[in-house]
């Protein structure tokens, strides 16, 4: 696992954006799985700007959704779907046939999981997965202790995710379950980047990097990945033992 600690959120975001661009420069038909959330937002804006100014074409890339709040409509501003459309797909004019997101309104969530797993296999795996980390150490919606499942699955959200998740929504929203790729998808992705910023993430980052690798702390599994990068700002890295 490679650890990079940047001076601040802006430089961290530049670092993450550069790394995504590099993957697409080297493989224009890359399969990308990019998390929603506050942490990567600026990285995506910078990535879109770089793509435009440097002529990097994402049109041949395939986009795989990492996770979604079950029961939340894609037009709801708090959905991952809405976030990805607004920050990535629309500014890069990605065509719909290149986008594979979980249908959160499905009546058959298990079928939706099987469909996503099949799509990933048909696209020959994920080249780059960029993830954030939850306050409880979740990756996507792989919650601590709950079911440790390798591939797409439906999850009962834990209390932390339900509470913290409210920040994405304009009004109080009932968040009970999610649908997510599994940690096996993360371990099988050819490259993984985990981004975290701010002092509120410092303790969970310390535990992720310095305590045992365990499904009780899903993010810690990134240390078993052969080509993983943990990209932090100084605040998120502030509780790490100096090396
Ligand atoms: C979102 C996702 C979540 C977030 C995590 C951190 O698609 O998969 O696991 O990455 O909850 O969220 P932020 O970046 O808002 O702190």
């Amino acid at each position: 696992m490679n650890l990079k600690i940047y001076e601040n959120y802006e430089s961290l975001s530049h670092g993450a954006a550069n790394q995504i661009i590099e993957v697409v420069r080297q493989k224009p038909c890359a399969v990308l799985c990019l998390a929603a959330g506050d942490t990567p937002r600026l990285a995506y804006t910078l990535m879109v700007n770089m793509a435009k100014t440097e002529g990097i074409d994402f049109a041949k890339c395939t986009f795989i959704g990492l996770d979604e709040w079950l029961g939340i409509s894609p037009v709801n501003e708090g959905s991952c779907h809405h976030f990805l459309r607004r920050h990535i797909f629309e500014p890069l004019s990605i065509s719909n046939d290149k986008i594979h997101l979980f249908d959160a309104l499905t009546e058959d969530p298990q079928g939706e999981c099987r469909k996503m797993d099949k799509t990933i296999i048909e696209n020959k795996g994920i080249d780059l997965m960029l993830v954030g980390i939850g306050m409880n150490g979740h990756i996507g919606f792989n919650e601590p202790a709950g079911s440790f499942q390798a591939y797409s699955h439906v999850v009962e959200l834990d209390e932390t995710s339900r509470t913290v998740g409210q920040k994405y929504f304009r009004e109080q929203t009932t968040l009970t379950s999610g649908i997510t790729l599994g940690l096996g998808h993360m371990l099988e992705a050819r490259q993984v980047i985990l981004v975290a910023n701010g002092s509120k993430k410092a303790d969970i980052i310390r535990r992720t990097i310095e305590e045992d690798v365990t499904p009780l702390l899903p993010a810690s599994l990134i240390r078993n990945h052969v080509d993983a990068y943990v990209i932090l700002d100084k605040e998120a890295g502030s509780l790490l033992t100096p090396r």
Side-chain angles (χ1 to χ4, degrees), residues 35-40 66-67 80 131-134 138-140 167-168 201:
D38 289 340
T39 317
L66 174 60
D67 53 3
C80 300
V131 297
I133 178 172
H138 74 201
I139 292 287
K167 69 178 175 170
Y168 305 119
K201 295 278 173 79

Side-chain angles (χ1 to χ4, degrees), residues 34-41 44 66-69 80 83-84 130-136 138-142 161 164-165 167-168 180 195-197 200-201:
L34 305 176
D38 289 340
T39 317
R41 185 182 286 128
Y44 298 155
L66 174 60
D67 53 3
E68 191 54 277
W69 310 98
C80 300
F83 175 99
L84 295 171
L130 184 142
V131 297
I133 178 172
M135 294 298 290
N136 57 3
H138 74 201
I139 292 287
F141 281 143
N142 291 274
S161 300
V164 176
K167 69 178 175 170
Y168 305 119
T180 184
V195 283
N197 73 294
K200 64 178 188 298
K201 295 278 173 79

Side-chain angles (χ1 to χ4, degrees), residues 23 32 43 45 50 59 82 101 108 113 128 149 172 177 199 208 218 221 225 233 236:
V23 168
L32 305 174
T45 303
M50 282 170 74
H82 188 276
L101 304 181
D108 178 15
C113 291
L128 173 67
Q149 291 182 45
Q172 186 72 22
S177 47
S199 53
T208 297
L221 294 184
H225 193 280
D233 69 355

Side-chain angles (χ1 to χ4, degrees), residues 105-162:
L105 300 180
T106 180
E107 284 179 5
D108 178 15
Q110 302 302 338
E112 195 62 20
C113 291
R114 287 192 296 275
K115 190 170 131 200
M116 184 60 94
D117 289 348
K118 190 162 167 261
T119 299
I120 293 172
I121 291 170
E122 284 170 357
N123 281 281
K124 303 192 170 44
I126 296 169
D127 290 297
L128 173 67
M129 186 183 269
L130 184 142
V131 297
I133 178 172
M135 294 298 290
N136 57 3
H138 74 201
I139 292 287
F141 281 143
N142 291 274
E143 301 282 45
S147 55
F148 171 47
Q149 291 182 45
Y151 299 110
S152 300
H153 57 285
V154 172
V155 214
E156 189 70 12
L157 295 172
D158 87 2
E159 196 47 44
T160 307
S161 300
R162 292 177 198 211

Side-chain angles (χ1 to χ4, degrees), residues 34-38 40-42 44-49 52 63 68 74-94 96 99 101 167-170:
L34 305 176
D38 289 340
R41 185 182 286 128
L42 178 58
Y44 298 155
T45 303
L46 297 168
M47 172 190 89
V48 167
N49 291 345
K52 288 182 178 164
F63 291 84
E68 191 54 277
V75 299
N76 186 315
E77 278 187 10
S79 69
C80 300
H81 199 119
H82 188 276
F83 175 99
L84 295 171
R85 284 215 174 271
R86 175 165 171 211
H87 296 285
I88 301 177
F89 305 148
E90 281 169 9
L92 288 176
S93 306
I94 305 296
N96 281 336
I99 301 171
L101 304 181
K167 69 178 175 170
Y168 305 119
F169 296 87
R170 269 177 196 265

